Amino acid sequence: MKLSKLYANNETFKNIAFNLSGINVIYADVQTNLDDHKNSHDLGKTKIAELIDFLLLKTADQKKSFLFKLKNEEGVSLFQEYVFYLEIQLNDGRYLTIKRAINNNTKISLVVNVQKTEGFIEPTKWDYEDVSLDKAKMLIADFLNFNFFFNKPYDFRKALSYSLRTPPDDYKDVYQLNKFSNGKHIYWKPFIFDLLGFDGELLAKKYDNDEQREEIAKFIESLKNEYSIRIEDRDDLVAQMQLVEAHSAEVTDNIDKFNFYEQDKELIKKGIDDIENSISDFNSAVYRLTYELDRLQKSISNNFAFNIDKVQKVFNEANLFFPEQLKYDYNSLMEFNKKLTSERNKLIKTTIKKKQKELSEINGQLQLLNEKRESLLSFIQDTDTFRRFKQYQKELVKIESQVFALKEKIKHIDTILNKEKESKKLLEEIQETVNKLNKIYQSTEDNKKYSDIRAKFAAYYKRIMDEDARISWNINTSDNVDFPQPKVHEKLGDKRVTAKDEGNTYKKLLCVAFDLAVLASYNNESYFRFVYHDDVLSQQDPGVKHRLLSLIHELTTKFDIQYIISVIKSDLPIDENDQLLYFPDNEIILTLNDKDATGTLFGFEF
């Protein structure tokens, strides 16, 4: 895979057409003092690698990427309306164009053409339009068809950053790129192991088992702390539980002995019910007697009343004759009624006395029944027997709680024991993996890919620095693989030791030699065919610059590698006459300058 074109929908953006073979130079003609507010990075040359990474489907980081974090006064991204395009040459000779916009950066469009497209015009037709980021990654991986990634748990993006190095972070370590600096070793070491020709899956399994054992250890520790348990206390806890269960049986037996009380209690409840029924009947009788006595009292107060004089007066007023005989008869009748009423009242008074006596007796019975009911209720609710019964019940509840707590502790100890068995099994798998790693470590000379990369790395670094360097790996005290920085054998009395220790500029060249060695070694397979080294000539010795460029020219021709380098004017190599050695025009694909804003990549400063 090589880069063919990088362009945008904005006419101020400086579109780039890459040379498919040889050196591609991004040249920055910086004339202002580097200590001034302007510098080479303001021109945008370092942003090209980020754009390429973005178009090769790096997940957009809204907080870190300049494409999103740089905003205008309204808080809108300066690049909100930008749409970028990257055309790449596939290893089968076809060309793939990738379209990605800023304001809808998770939707990707793709189109494949047999030939390189003309100019910087958006394709009129897309094979895949506005597909998701994940689907686009899978499609691009299929188009690239890299042999290295067959049956691997990662895709082309895992290796992309080794073809896109930018200062300062990506030159700090040959193996561990900046994007892996804050991640776990499992994220990058198995890949490097694979890249060097070993079994990365074996190393990944080791890390995965280590992580599982670590999680188990944390889980076990949390159980021990939360429930205050120790594995060695399990049998003692069983003994405690058996003692408590024995006590529980004893208390249960005591409670069972109170069955007679429960039976008596039922009888008492039945007696109370009978008493309450009697009380209800007596209350009805009291009501009836009270009602009857009231009627009888009213009957006595209603005496017979008849005034004969008033009757005679009525007759006279009506001019009617009122005979004396009739008057006599009425008087006789009145005397009779008086005698009759007197006798009736005697009988009523006798009845009243009888009913009053009956009412008094019933009230007496009611008082006795109420007292008896209260007494029975008090026996049920407040006797010593009842209190002892309730005490045993409470004690049994407490004992059951203790039994439950002990059983829970035993259960958690058993969980820990099972987890330890699981951890032991993982440890056995780890040991098996470590044995395989040790076996590999004892036969690294048999790995042809590793030997080839190592030999090329040593040869390239020797060409550049005139020093011997070697790459190696080892198994550390945790039985994991370490990739130490390449060892450099310096000449006696070399005055550059301090500069290397302080500035670490030599690390750039270690990274360059490694990246070139990998590309050259994988040249006979479908793999990346390009590498972009940003600012690699900065602060290098003139002889180093000449030797590096000479090596690059040689390797790009021999292995058909596309080499992209960014450089500022002050970093250009000097010829034997102390004159700046400019690159040929056909190698310079983009020129930026700081004369004004139009000389920058986007045509404006930010």
Side-chain angles (χ1 to χ4, degrees):
M1 171 203 156
K2 296 179 180 179
L3 305 181
S4 176
K5 294 178 184 178
L6 174 64
Y7 56 104
N9 64 338
N10 193 301
E11 61 182 13
T12 63
F13 179 78
K14 289 181 173 50
N15 301 324
I16 304 171
F18 296 90
N19 297 322
L20 293 175
S21 299
I23 295 182
N24 290 255
V25 180
I26 298 171
Y27 174 65
D29 185 3
V30 179
Q31 298 180 0
T32 56
N33 192 322
L34 290 180
D35 294 330
D36 197 357
H37 71 283
K38 292 184 179 181
N39 56 57
S40 62
H41 299 285
D42 291 328
L43 302 182
K45 73 178 184 64
T46 59
K47 300 295 187 289
I48 295 173
E50 189 170 340
L51 280 174
I52 294 170
D53 203 7
F54 175 75
L55 282 159
L56 288 174
L57 308 190
K58 178 181 180 179
T59 301
D61 190 327
Q62 304 285 333
K63 294 182 179 179
K64 293 183 179 180
S65 174
F66 78 95
L67 294 169
F68 301 94
K69 71 177 183 178
L70 297 176
K71 302 180 184 298
N72 58 24
E73 294 178 355
E74 286 75 30
V76 179
S77 170
L78 296 176
F79 305 98
Q80 181 71 13
E81 303 302 324
Y82 276 73
V83 180
F84 293 100
Y85 305 86
L86 178 67
E87 182 182 78
I88 62 176
Q89 184 187 46
L90 303 173
N91 290 338
D92 62 8
R94 295 181 299 166
Y95 291 84
L96 170 66
T97 300
I98 305 166
K99 172 187 175 182
R100 192 176 185 185
I102 298 300
N103 64 348
N104 195 16
N105 65 83
T106 59
K107 297 298 181 181
I108 313 299
S109 297
L110 306 170
V111 63
V112 176
N113 294 298
V114 177
Q115 296 180 340
K116 183 177 181 178
T117 59
E118 295 294 331
F120 301 102
I121 302 173
E122 177 184 356
T124 57
K125 186 178 180 182
W126 298 96
D127 296 333
Y128 303 92
E129 191 166 9
D130 291 337
V131 298
S132 69
L133 201 62
D134 290 337
K135 183 176 180 181
K137 286 180 182 178
M138 290 189 292
L139 289 170
I140 292 177
D142 289 340
F143 286 131
L144 293 174
N145 196 29
F146 286 167
N147 303 109
F148 175 80
F149 295 100
F150 288 169
N151 299 319
K152 296 286 195 307
Y154 34 74
D155 61 19
F156 69 97
R157 284 205 52 82
K158 199 74 169 182
L160 178 60
S161 293
Y162 294 92
S163 284
L164 284 173
R165 295 239 194 199
T166 57
D169 297 327
D170 286 339
Y171 290 119
K172 289 181 178 179
D173 193 293
V174 170
Y175 310 104
Q176 188 176 7
L177 299 174
N178 180 51
K179 68 179 181 180
F180 301 134
S181 60
N182 295 324
K184 298 179 180 179
H185 287 178
I186 194 174
Y187 295 156
W188 65 276
K189 282 191 175 181
F191 165 74
I192 290 294
F193 210 48
D194 267 328
L195 192 65
L196 295 177
F198 298 100
D199 186 357
E201 185 178 355
L202 190 66
L203 187 56
K205 182 180 179 181
K206 169 65 169 58
Y207 279 116
D208 185 56
N209 286 346
D210 282 342
E211 187 171 344
Q212 288 187 57
R213 289 193 73 236
E214 186 178 341
E215 290 298 321
I216 289 173
K218 289 179 181 177
F219 177 73
I220 288 174
E221 191 63 26
S222 67
L223 282 182
K224 288 181 177 179
N225 293 333
E226 183 175 355
Y227 296 98
S228 300
I229 53 178
R230 300 186 307 167
I231 294 175
E232 55 268 30
D233 292 338
R234 187 188 188 283
D235 192 49
D236 183 55
L237 290 172
V238 172
Q240 292 181 51
M241 184 180 69
Q242 290 174 343
L243 286 174
V244 174
E245 286 178 337
H247 188 200
S248 174
E250 181 182 346
V251 173
T252 301
D253 184 59
N254 287 332
I255 290 175
D256 289 341
K257 292 178 180 178
F258 278 82
N259 284 341
F260 73 91
Y261 167 75
E262 292 295 319
Q263 294 172 359
D264 289 346
K265 187 170 69 173
E266 290 301 318
L267 292 174
I268 292 171
K269 285 184 177 179
K270 187 176 183 304
I272 291 174
D273 291 340
D274 293 341
I275 289 172
E276 287 181 340
N277 289 333
S278 297
I279 289 174
S280 177
D281 293 340
F282 279 132
N283 282 332
S284 298
V286 168
Y287 176 80
R288 176 179 55 77
L289 287 172
T290 301
Y291 176 79
E292 290 176 353
L293 285 170
D294 182 65
R295 294 291 300 273
L296 290 172
Q297 294 289 355
K298 289 181 179 178
S299 177
I300 291 176
S301 62
N302 292 331
N303 293 322
F304 180 79
F306 186 81
N307 191 332
I308 190 64
D309 293 330
K310 288 184 178 180
V311 173
Q312 186 174 355
K313 184 180 178 180
V314 171
F315 270 77
N316 292 333
E317 290 177 353
N319 295 319
L320 295 175
F321 174 71
F322 188 76
E324 287 294 327
Q325 184 61 38
L326 182 59
K327 183 176 181 180
Y328 172 80
D329 290 337
Y330 273 121
N331 287 328
S332 298
L333 178 60
M334 289 174 59
E335 287 296 326
F336 173 75
N337 279 334
K338 287 180 180 179
K339 291 179 181 181
L340 183 62
T341 299
S342 175
E343 292 297 325
R344 182 178 65 84
N345 286 344
K346 288 180 181 179
L347 290 174
I348 290 174
K349 288 178 180 180
T350 300
T351 302
I352 287 174
K353 288 180 180 179
K354 182 179 179 181
K355 290 187 179 295
Q356 285 177 338
K357 181 181 179 182
E358 184 180 356
L359 180 61
S360 176
E361 291 175 351
I362 290 175
N363 283 330
Q365 290 292 328
L366 279 174
Q367 184 176 354
L368 291 174
L369 287 172
N370 280 317
E371 290 175 355
K372 188 175 182 180
R373 183 181 65 174
E374 292 298 323
S375 176
L376 290 174
L377 287 174
S378 175
F379 177 81
I380 290 177
Q381 296 176 358
D382 197 28
T383 63
D384 290 339
T385 303
F386 179 74
R387 283 195 295 272
R388 281 188 288 124
F389 180 76
K390 296 300 290 184
Q391 181 180 350
Y392 280 130
Q393 282 187 322
K394 290 178 181 179
E395 187 174 357
L396 184 61
V397 171
K398 184 179 179 180
I399 291 171
E400 288 174 348
S401 177
Q402 291 174 344
V403 171
F404 176 79
L406 289 168
K407 285 183 177 180
E408 283 294 294
K409 286 188 174 184
I410 294 170
K411 183 181 76 173
H412 290 310
I413 288 176
D414 289 341
T415 298
I416 290 173
L417 290 170
N418 290 330
K419 284 293 181 181
E420 287 190 339
K421 288 180 183 177
E422 187 179 333
S423 181
K424 185 177 179 180
K425 184 178 179 181
L426 287 170
L427 184 60
E428 291 172 355
E429 292 181 8
I430 288 171
Q431 190 56 54
E432 184 180 345
T433 302
V434 170
N435 291 338
K436 291 179 181 179
L437 287 173
N438 282 321
K439 187 176 180 180
I440 291 173
Y441 186 67
Q442 293 172 351
S443 59
T444 57
E445 63 273 18
D446 297 332
N447 189 320
K448 293 182 179 180
K449 177 64 72 177
Y450 181 50
S451 296
D452 185 52
I453 292 175
R454 182 149 62 177
K456 285 182 168 59
F457 169 81
Y460 299 164
Y461 192 79
K462 179 73 172 179
R463 281 279 303 274
I464 299 168
M465 297 294 290
D466 193 24
E467 293 170 350
D468 293 328
R470 60 188 184 275
I471 59 175
S472 63
W473 60 273
N474 58 68
I475 298 176
N476 59 29
T477 55
S478 299
D479 291 324
N480 290 319
V481 170
D482 269 348
F483 298 101
Q485 285 297 292
K487 296 177 176 62
V488 179
H489 178 69
E490 298 167 333
K491 294 179 180 179
L492 186 62
D494 194 326
K495 296 180 180 180
R496 288 173 291 174
V497 174
T498 303
K500 290 179 181 179
D501 289 341
E502 293 178 355
N504 289 332
T505 56
Y506 82 104
K507 285 186 179 180
K508 285 186 182 180
L509 301 175
L510 290 173
C511 294
V512 169
F514 179 79
D515 295 343
L516 290 172
V518 170
L519 290 182
S521 184
Y522 279 92
N523 183 254
N524 60 343
E525 302 177 33
S526 179
Y527 193 71
F528 289 106
R529 297 280 187 269
F530 86 95
V531 62
Y532 184 165
H533 286 150
D534 182 25
D535 211 32
V536 74
L537 296 183
S538 175
Q539 300 179 13
Q540 301 293 353
D541 181 86
V544 170
K545 295 178 183 179
H546 280 285
R547 292 191 294 271
L548 172 60
L549 293 174
S550 174
L551 175 65
I552 292 171
H553 276 104
E554 180 182 318
L555 295 180
T556 55
T557 301
K558 182 177 180 180
F559 296 104
D560 191 27
I561 295 173
Q562 181 188 46
Y563 191 88
I564 305 167
I565 184 173
S566 66
V567 61
I568 62 175
K569 184 177 180 180
S570 60
D571 288 332
L572 288 174
I574 300 174
D575 63 16
E576 61 274 9
N577 298 317
D578 290 334
Q579 298 295 316
L580 291 178
L581 183 64
Y582 291 92
F583 290 95
D585 290 341
N586 64 328
E587 291 183 349
I588 299 176
I589 59 171
L590 177 65
T591 300
L592 303 172
N593 65 75
D594 61 353
K595 294 178 182 178
D596 54 43
T598 60
T600 64
L601 178 64
F602 288 93
F604 63 91
E605 295 180 351
F606 54 86

